[in-house]
Amino acid sequence: MQIDIVTLFPGLFETFSATGVLGRAVDKGLLEITTHDLRRWSGNRWGQVDDEPYGGGAGMVIRVAPTVEAVEDLLEERSIPPRVVMMTPRGRLLDQQLAQELANEPGLMILCGRYEGFDERVVELLHPDEISIGDYVLGGGEVAAMVVVEAVSRLLPGVVGDPESVEADSFTGGLLDYPCFTRPERYEGRQVPGVLLSGHHGKIRRWRLQQSVELTVTRRPDLVKKNWVRYPGEVRSLVRRYAPELARSCENDE
Ligand code: ADE
């Protein structure tokens, strides 16, 4: 997948895209991350891309012309049109489903704002998908873009070594992950749960599922509500056992 990132701080992405799972995906040619400095399209000698907001008020606004021209030029360079995405706190909240949708695209072009954001005409003219990573305000879209890139890349075939680990991950099945343990068996009097040492695969699978369900109903009942329709019978029965009222309210909503 080709990911183009339009930003005022391309340097932020250098180590990020060369490290760990992402770095390997780039080396293997599964992923290409290209940053583009918006200042290239500033149209002035100083590389200035922002200006004061009409109507007054604090902060600066990124001008429409550099942004639209950057995207139009870059789209022309791409033979397969990517999905254009803008990082903004007013956007659709990123979740695993949106990450999967983006992973199905042939490419992404991510616009990172700074200051008070982009001139609204960028949205009117380019119709980007506006995406937020959470209900808080960051200094700019770059870190949010990294979150998108990381969530999306690990869903691309071949990027994560063991596809089962992606499949089993939190949220993919609409449940939080079960707790994990590794050596030693005992530490400061705390023992690894016996079932994990039993070698009995059926019992281990069942214990892990129970743990996942217990954690999800207590910490994130909203996830249970959201994912109820796609839970298999075994998960639904466990929800009924650990949180009967929550299960009833999910059944009523069906
Ligand atoms: N830019 C600033 N805050 C953001 C957020 N929460 N999500 C996406 N982009 C942002």
Side-chain angles (χ1 to χ4, degrees), residues 83-95 98 102 111 117-118 120 123 127-138 141 144 148:
R83 181 152 156 184
V84 181
V85 162
M86 177 190 281
M87 302 315 305
T88 160
R90 75 179 196 188
R92 172 175 166 194
L93 269 183
L94 179 69
D95 60 8
L98 178 52
L102 297 174
L111 311 181
F118 293 94
E120 186 63 19
V123 174
H127 307 290
D129 282 299
E130 296 177 71
I131 296 179
S132 165
I133 61 157
D135 292 335
Y136 37 81
V137 180
L138 302 167
V148 169

Side-chain angles (χ1 to χ4, degrees), residues 167-229:
E167 194 40 49
D169 268 340
S170 277
F171 299 110
T172 306
L175 291 172
L176 299 178
D177 253 354
Y178 50 79
C180 294
F181 298 84
T182 186
R183 276 183 282 252
E185 265 182 53
R186 196 178 168 80
Y187 182 74
E188 292 195 358
R190 307 291 306 168
Q191 189 84 32
V192 173
V195 62
L196 298 178
L197 312 172
S198 69
H200 193 300
H201 295 301
K203 283 191 182 154
I204 293 170
R205 192 197 69 83
R206 179 73 181 167
W207 181 85
R208 285 177 165 167
L209 191 61
Q210 286 171 344
Q211 293 287 316
S212 279
V213 172
E214 251 191 293
L215 272 173
T216 314
V217 299
T218 48
R219 294 195 184 179
R220 297 292 307 276
D222 59 304
L223 280 184
V224 177
K225 281 257 184 191
K226 183 171 165 181
N227 292 293
W228 178 260
V229 289

Side-chain angles (χ1 to χ4, degrees), residues 7-43:
T7 169
L8 289 168
F9 298 98
L12 281 177
F13 293 88
E14 275 169 30
T15 333
F16 171 71
S17 48
T19 308
V21 171
L22 277 191
R24 275 196 300 280
V26 170
D27 290 343
K28 282 200 255 174
L30 300 168
L31 186 65
E32 194 167 344
I33 300 174
T34 317
T35 52
H36 309 277
D37 190 339
L38 186 59
R39 294 182 206 279
R40 246 178 75 197
W41 288 271
S42 68

Side-chain angles (χ1 to χ4, degrees), residues 100-122:
Q100 185 62 65
E101 256 180 57
L102 297 174
N104 295 339
E105 297 286 339
L108 300 177
M109 187 173 293
I110 308 180
L111 311 181
C112 304
R114 280 269 150 179
Y115 321 119
E116 293 309 301
F118 293 94
D119 185 306
E120 186 63 19
R121 288 165 293 184
V122 170

